[in-house]
Amino acid sequence: MFQQSINKRKRKVRKGSRVMVGFTLPVVILYSLFFLVPLLMGFYYSLTNWNGISKTYKIVGFSNYVKVIMNPRFLNAIWFNARYMVLLVILVTVVSLVIAMALNRTKLCSTLFRSIYFVPAILSLVTVALIWNELFYRVIPVIGQQLGIEWLSTSLLGNPKTAIYAILAVNLWQGCSIPTVLFIAGLQSVPMELYEAATVDGAGRWARFKNITVPFLIPVINMVIITQVKAGLTVFDYIKAMTDGGPGHATEAIGLLVYKYSMQENKYSQSVAVAMILFVIVGMISLITLRITGDKQVEGD
Amino acid sequence: MEQITKNSTKIKKGTSYTLRTALIYIFLIIGLIIILFPFYITIITAFKTTSESAANFFAFPKSFYLDNFKAVLQKANYFTYFFNSVAITVVAVVFILLLTTMCAYAISRNMNHSKYHKAIYYYLLFGIFVPFQAVMVPLVKYTGDLRLNNQTGLVLLHITFAASQAIFLLVNYIRSVPSDLESAALIDGCTIQGAYWRIVLPLIRPMLMTILVLNAMWIWNDFLMSLLILNKSPNTWTIPLFQYNFKSQYTFDYNMAFASYLVAMVPIMIIYAFVQRYIVSGLTQGAVKS
């Protein structure tokens, strides 16, 4: 009888573990079908000379990669993304932190301020980009002329030198909202007693910020940096809607290059090769950022 | 909030404090103007005729001219795109919440003793490092071959590409929730499905809120994925796709273009007005916990 109940128990456990495997299956199957398979397909096609349409193709090894890397357009895209990412990470972190600290100090209308500062985050990137597109062409040059500022008097998007900053400005206008909210939450987690104690001990404003505020904000800063690194390396919507890579190839980001090669220029195998390189770059930079920010966190604790 | 101000007044009283507060407000109001300026231009331009805008772009409209909206709403089938967006967002988010919580629950309760669960956890996490653009090109061909270059396919893709982040957030969260309650329920004869539905889901509600907010915003506003999968069949477009295509069709009539931007923004603004608190708390919850 004892044995029987053990068997029954075992059956239940086994049935339980079957359910526990079953629970994971929908996600695992979808992920394998729509993520892993396309990733492997991409790698395979990057080794062929397929143009996306023809019935036959042959394996050409890594020559697509060589072709891509030797192409100035690709190097130009990498350079664009590198600059864009660095500026985006720094500016989003600094601007959001400053706004969050200011918002955290307000008492009068603080809810109203916070609600309005968050609004850009809920809009679609395309709508925002299209609105700013019109502003850059029709509104900002007029303001520039009125104020007599020369670099503002023509469209910033039309100039190969300034287009990247115009896109960056739009990205900041929208992209600071969520980090600001996160920073406010972080600032509110700092115990007030610490500030008081530090002030009693004679710590100045900067010393308090550096030694109390920043360590408490490290987890949020890490998260903002990690998300912005990825956002900067994969920027697409703004560029597609505002400049489509132009003027010339001045704002052609890697993501857009992948899109154009495959959808508009029939360079299918080269486009997947670029995509694979992008994958390696994003993976490596994410790992490095995780490593660096992880180290900092230990110091902060 | 109150405490902070009280304390800082205690610390430093006098004119320098008042001056600093004034400077903070001036800074914030300048920021407010920068944020609201595009909305102002969008609203006034949408209600003006082309000649009115040409006369003075910045002036308030003399009368509310509604033909721009009529053109956008009727000619351009706005309501079809609106319902497409709603349907895709709702269906995808419901499935994301259901499937990722099931999966994350199984992983977090078994990864210590089951090699399978541990392996799939890392397998799914791998996706966080892979940008969508790295797989998008083969994905277009592949979904086409499977005849999934339609709204069903788009929903499946949204679920797939939401999985890694959701599993990561959920597994960490569920592991911090003690399993005593479930064990008790299982001993009392509850099935695992029952324990998941009646005990685990209510316990992880804050994290569900985070995942709901993140994904609803992401899917509602998604452009690239919809562009790749749906662009060839206009009656399946979502609002961002309609925006993009409408713009290229009416490049010169910018009053109409602004009317289209306005109608694209209105639904999400209305939702925001009502559930703003939940959106903000949902976002911060996820950040603080992870």
Side-chain angles (χ1 to χ4, degrees):
Chain A
M1 212 177 84
F2 188 62
Q3 191 59 40
Q4 217 173 13
S5 95
I6 284 183
N7 280 344
K8 213 173 167 186
R9 193 81 183 262
K10 265 189 184 161
R11 253 205 310 279
K12 197 171 175 189
V13 169
R14 226 176 290 138
K15 193 167 164 245
S17 64
R18 263 214 304 274
V19 174
M20 282 302 197
V21 171
F23 267 24
T24 64
L25 286 182
V27 170
V28 171
I29 291 170
L30 279 176
Y31 180 86
S32 307
L33 268 181
F34 293 108
F35 174 76
L36 193 69
V37 171
L39 190 66
L40 296 175
M41 277 168 71
F43 181 62
Y44 172 73
Y45 285 126
S46 75
L47 303 176
T48 70
N49 66 353
W50 196 42
N51 63 6
I53 306 159
S54 67
K55 290 241 157 62
T56 56
Y57 56 84
K58 58 177 195 272
I59 300 211
V60 294
F62 284 89
S63 70
N64 284 315
Y65 291 88
V66 176
K67 231 187 269 173
V68 161
I69 291 171
M70 304 296 272
N71 189 339
R73 230 173 123 188
F74 173 75
L75 297 176
N76 175 58
I78 294 270
W79 176 229
F80 174 86
N81 273 93
R83 282 184 302 160
Y84 193 87
M85 179 195 79
V86 170
L87 289 172
L88 187 71
V89 169
I90 295 172
L91 289 172
V92 166
T93 313
V94 172
V95 172
S96 320
L97 183 56
V98 170
I99 295 174
M101 288 173 70
L103 283 174
N104 202 31
R105 287 291 192 81
T106 55
K107 207 162 65 173
L108 200 69
C109 311
S110 80
T111 323
L112 182 70
F113 271 110
R114 286 175 201 199
S115 325
I116 295 176
Y117 270 92
F118 189 74
V119 166
I122 60 170
L123 302 177
S124 106
L125 279 71
V126 177
T127 312
V128 169
L130 292 174
I131 291 176
W132 277 96
N133 204 14
E134 301 285 343
L135 296 181
F136 276 123
Y137 278 106
R138 300 178 205 285
V139 178
I140 292 173
V142 178
I143 298 175
Q145 280 158 19
Q146 294 285 324
L147 297 173
I149 304 170
E150 200 176 325
W151 58 272
L152 265 185
S153 310
T154 55
S155 170
L156 293 174
L157 287 173
N159 181 338
K161 282 215 178 82
T162 53
I164 179 174
Y165 303 108
I167 296 168
L168 205 56
V170 177
N171 198 343
L172 281 180
W173 182 85
Q174 182 169 39
C176 285
S177 300
I178 292 178
T180 301
V181 168
L182 299 181
F183 276 129
I184 291 176
L187 285 170
Q188 284 170 350
S189 73
V190 187
M192 284 320 296
E193 302 89 68
L194 284 182
Y195 287 118
E196 285 167 35
T199 318
V200 171
D201 289 347
R205 193 176 305 284
W206 171 248
R208 271 180 283 159
F209 173 75
K210 203 183 80 176
N211 297 321
I212 303 173
T213 315
V214 171
F216 270 94
L217 288 183
I218 291 274
V220 182
I221 295 176
N222 286 345
M223 178 155 165
V224 171
I225 290 177
I226 291 167
T227 51
Q228 296 308 313
V229 162
K230 201 169 170 188
L233 288 175
T234 58
V235 55
F236 181 88
D237 297 17
Y238 295 124
I239 297 177
K240 183 79 184 129
M242 291 205 286
T243 61
D244 204 13
H249 296 300
T251 57
E252 203 168 61
I254 308 176
L256 194 69
L257 194 65
V258 175
Y259 181 86
K260 280 189 170 176
Y261 269 0
S262 70
M263 301 290 168
Q264 292 163 5
E265 301 176 20
N266 288 330
K267 294 179 185 164
Y268 193 89
S269 50
Q270 282 186 51
S271 117
V272 278
V274 177
M276 287 298 126
I277 298 173
L278 177 66
F279 160 48
V280 173
I281 293 173
V282 171
M284 265 167 33
I285 294 183
S286 306
L287 279 177
I288 294 169
T289 342
L290 275 180
R291 250 283 178 50
I292 295 172
T293 53
D295 287 350
K296 280 260 176 58
Q297 187 150 10
V298 177
E299 267 171 48
D301 288 343
Chain B
M1 272 311 295
E2 244 175 35
Q3 214 189 352
I4 298 170
T5 354
K6 240 189 249 161
N7 284 329
S8 36
T9 29
K10 226 184 281 167
I11 292 161
K12 269 200 174 180
K13 277 180 187 166
T15 45
S16 79
Y17 174 73
T18 328
L19 184 70
R20 215 168 341 108
T21 313
L23 285 177
I24 287 173
Y25 272 98
I26 291 170
F27 169 75
L28 285 176
I29 288 167
I30 293 172
L32 224 53
I33 293 169
I34 295 174
I35 287 176
L36 291 177
F37 179 67
F39 293 101
Y40 171 73
I41 293 288
T42 306
I43 293 167
I44 60 160
T45 314
F47 285 106
K48 290 201 280 198
T49 61
T50 319
S51 57
E52 232 181 312
S53 278
N56 186 346
F57 206 91
F58 300 94
F60 215 70
K62 288 190 194 79
S63 61
F64 284 100
Y65 176 73
L66 294 173
D67 284 9
N68 294 326
F69 292 100
K70 269 187 208 147
V72 175
L73 296 182
Q74 289 171 358
K75 255 195 277 171
N77 271 332
Y78 171 76
F79 290 105
T80 313
Y81 310 130
F82 173 75
F83 286 115
N84 287 341
S85 270
V86 172
I88 289 170
T89 309
V90 170
V91 175
V93 168
V94 167
F95 276 103
I96 287 169
L97 286 176
L98 190 71
L99 299 181
T100 58
T101 48
M102 275 165 53
C103 183
Y105 169 57
I107 290 173
S108 33
R109 291 294 182 243
N110 294 290
M111 65 187 287
N112 286 337
H113 55 260
S114 153
K115 273 189 187 146
Y116 168 77
H117 287 94
K118 194 163 188 165
I120 59 161
Y121 179 56
Y122 290 112
Y123 172 56
L124 293 172
L125 276 197
F126 168 64
I128 290 182
F129 297 102
V130 185
F132 176 69
Q133 290 153 2
V135 293
M136 70 180 183
V137 174
L139 203 55
V140 172
K141 186 185 143 35
Y142 182 60
T143 47
D145 290 346
L146 295 174
R147 299 188 181 228
L148 281 172
N149 47 356
N150 50 32
Q151 294 176 340
T152 314
L154 185 63
V155 167
L156 291 175
L157 292 185
H158 277 311
I159 300 171
T160 306
F161 286 90
S164 295
Q165 189 204 30
I167 298 277
F168 173 70
L169 291 173
L170 281 166
V171 167
N172 283 331
Y173 195 85
I174 297 175
R175 277 161 67 93
S176 73
V177 176
S179 59
D180 308 358
L181 269 178
E182 298 148 52
S183 315
L186 291 176
I187 289 168
D188 286 350
C190 184
T191 58
I192 290 177
Q193 295 90 317
Y196 155 77
W197 188 255
R198 288 198 208 98
I199 296 167
V200 178
L201 281 189
L203 279 177
I204 60 172
R205 207 178 289 153
M207 192 43 90
L208 289 182
M209 199 62 209
T210 300
I211 290 171
L212 181 134
V213 168
L214 282 175
N215 286 293
M217 277 176 34
W218 170 252
I219 295 169
W220 178 267
N221 290 329
D222 166 68
F223 169 62
L224 177 55
M225 226 184 254
S226 327
L227 175 74
L228 292 167
I229 305 292
L230 302 179
N231 208 29
K232 280 181 191 142
S233 28
N235 57 337
T236 66
W237 284 351
T238 57
I239 291 181
L241 210 49
F242 146 73
Q243 277 281 267
Y244 178 73
N245 288 299
F246 188 81
K247 147 86 189 171
S248 28
Q249 223 176 334
Y250 295 89
T251 329
F252 299 107
D253 193 342
Y254 55 82
N255 293 85
M256 198 128 91
F258 274 111
S260 83
Y261 307 149
L262 194 56
V263 293
M265 289 192 292
V266 164
I268 190 85
M269 299 284 266
I270 292 172
I271 293 173
Y272 176 64
F274 285 103
V275 296
Q276 180 199 350
R277 209 159 51 88
Y278 299 100
I279 293 181
V280 172
S281 71
L283 287 173
T284 43
Q285 184 79 34
V288 172
K289 269 289 170 186
S290 65

